[in-house]
Amino acid sequence: MRAARDSFAERGYARASLRDIAERAGITHAGLLHHFRSKDELLAEVLAQRDTEEWEEGVAEVDSLEALAPYLGTLLARHQKTPELMRLWLELAAAASRPEHPAHGYFVERYERSRTHVTRRLRELEAQGKLREGLGPDSAATLFQAVLNGLQAQWLLNQHLDIIEPLNRFLDLILVTDD
């Protein structure tokens, strides 16, 4: 997986080859094909692994409302260091919107799992009076995903754009903090 991630990040999806990835991993091309039927399948797995790592990291690091914005800012800054992976993720997510795409099920499940988790956390915040009045947890969770994805897409189009400040302002709009 590391070899594939490195190849995709360095060369981009179109120029990365399964032969290069296999060589980097120290296995044969046939050995790689034994585990992954296609480059699309391998890319989906690389992105799924990255999602899992980031999800686990976020759960471990965000133990309070005050820790959310700094963590998300750090995460977005890390994504900006590998724009090719950010681009591949957005491209694959768009392509996977077609039901016949091999990664369709993964993205449907990923968004549902994320939205469910964020909604659950926002319900807790709502009960504590920390979600803006009039904004339901379900809507806020959907907006949260849209803002994160949209900011990254805009940054890919203009890499001079500050996306951390708008993210922080969005969080200020939906959350009530004690400061």
Side-chain angles (χ1 to χ4, degrees), residues 36-69:
F36 300 98
R37 294 176 304 214
S38 69
K39 192 164 65 166
D40 281 349
E41 187 177 299
L42 182 56
L43 174 61
E45 188 60 33
V46 165
L47 296 173
Q49 182 184 52
R50 181 178 168 191
D51 278 351
T52 299
E53 291 168 2
E54 289 176 353
W55 187 263
E56 290 170 357
E57 177 186 76
V59 168
E61 289 190 27
V62 179
D63 59 357
S64 69
L65 184 57
E66 293 72 29
L68 180 61

Side-chain angles (χ1 to χ4, degrees), residues 62-121:
V62 179
D63 59 357
S64 69
L65 184 57
E66 293 72 29
L68 180 61
Y71 171 72
L72 290 173
T74 300
L75 181 65
L76 286 181
R78 189 177 331 134
H79 285 188
Q80 289 173 313
K81 291 179 182 175
T82 55
E84 193 56 38
L85 286 179
M86 188 189 302
R87 183 175 295 108
L88 290 172
W89 192 92
L90 288 168
E91 289 172 356
L92 186 60
S97 67
R98 293 186 314 275
E100 67 277 4
H101 192 278
H104 178 78
Y106 165 75
F107 276 94
V108 168
E109 188 276 327
R110 180 203 182 274
Y111 274 107
E112 185 59 35
R113 178 176 30 104
S114 173
R115 196 168 34 256
T116 298
H117 177 78
V118 172
T119 299
R120 185 178 320 119
R121 184 66 182 120

